[in-house]
Amino acid sequence: MAAGGLVQGTEGNVSARAGELIAISPSGLAYDTLRPEDVCLVNPEGAVVDGPQPSVELPMHLAVLAARPDIGAVVHTHSPRATAHPPVPVADGRSGTPGLGAAVLQAAAGGFAAVIRDHGPVCFGSDLAEALGRAFELEVRATAARRD
C-alpha cells in the first residue's frame, strides 16, 4: 500500500480473517517497517488475543466482517484521488466507532467499496489480495475520472 501510494506513514489500516480470529494492522506503525509480529490478532468482539494495540478503526473492521460473511478482508486507505474524486458511494460516520462500519456497509449497498467522507476509501474482498486489488483499482478509476 505504501509503495503504491495508497497510504503514507501510519495512515490507513488492513484486516483479514484468520480462522476464528481477525488479524489487523497495529496503531501507529508505518507499513514499510511492519513485521509479522507487529500484526494484532483480535477475537470477533475485538479483544486482543496477541500483538500490539490494534488500529483505531478496529470497530469499523469488526462491523464489516461481522455483517458480511462473504468478506474476508478489509483495506482502508487514504489514497489521494479516490478520497477527492470517488466513483463510489460516500459514507458518513465518525472514525473509530462501530457506527462507521454500519455507514460504510450501507453506502456500499452490497458492493465492495465506499469512501468515508473527508477520510478515505474502504474496500472489501474475499481475501486480502482481492481487497487490496480493489483499493488500487479504485485509485486508478478516480485518477481517470479526474481527467475527464
Side-chain angles (χ1 to χ4, degrees):
M1 291 187 330
L6 297 182
V7 297
Q8 291 183 2
T10 63
E11 60 190 24
N13 33 77
V14 177
S15 68
R17 294 183 196 275
E20 297 295 316
L21 300 176
I22 297 161
I24 185 162
S25 53
S27 181
L29 291 178
Y31 289 93
D32 57 354
T33 65
L34 284 180
R35 301 166 308 193
E37 58 267 23
D38 294 328
V39 175
C40 185
L41 289 175
V42 300
N43 68 21
E45 292 75 39
V48 175
V49 174
D50 188 35
Q53 179 181 347
S55 167
V56 68
E57 294 296 2
L58 175 63
M60 176 191 64
H61 288 261
L62 293 176
V64 169
L65 292 168
R68 298 267 310 266
D70 60 313
I71 295 171
V74 178
V75 173
H76 168 48
T77 69
H78 287 211
S79 54
R81 289 186 176 84
T83 300
H85 305 282
V88 294
V90 177
D92 289 307
R94 202 172 97 228
S95 184
T97 66
L100 182 58
V104 166
L105 286 166
Q106 182 179 9
F112 292 93
V115 172
I116 302 167
R117 186 178 310 281
D118 300 325
H119 192 74
V122 179
C123 298
F124 330 124
S126 60
D127 59 23
L128 194 51
E130 185 174 62
L132 184 58
R134 287 180 171 149
F136 277 108
E137 180 181 345
L138 178 59
E139 185 68 359
V140 168
R141 288 183 181 197
T143 301
R146 186 167 188 241
R147 288 187 285 226
D148 291 343

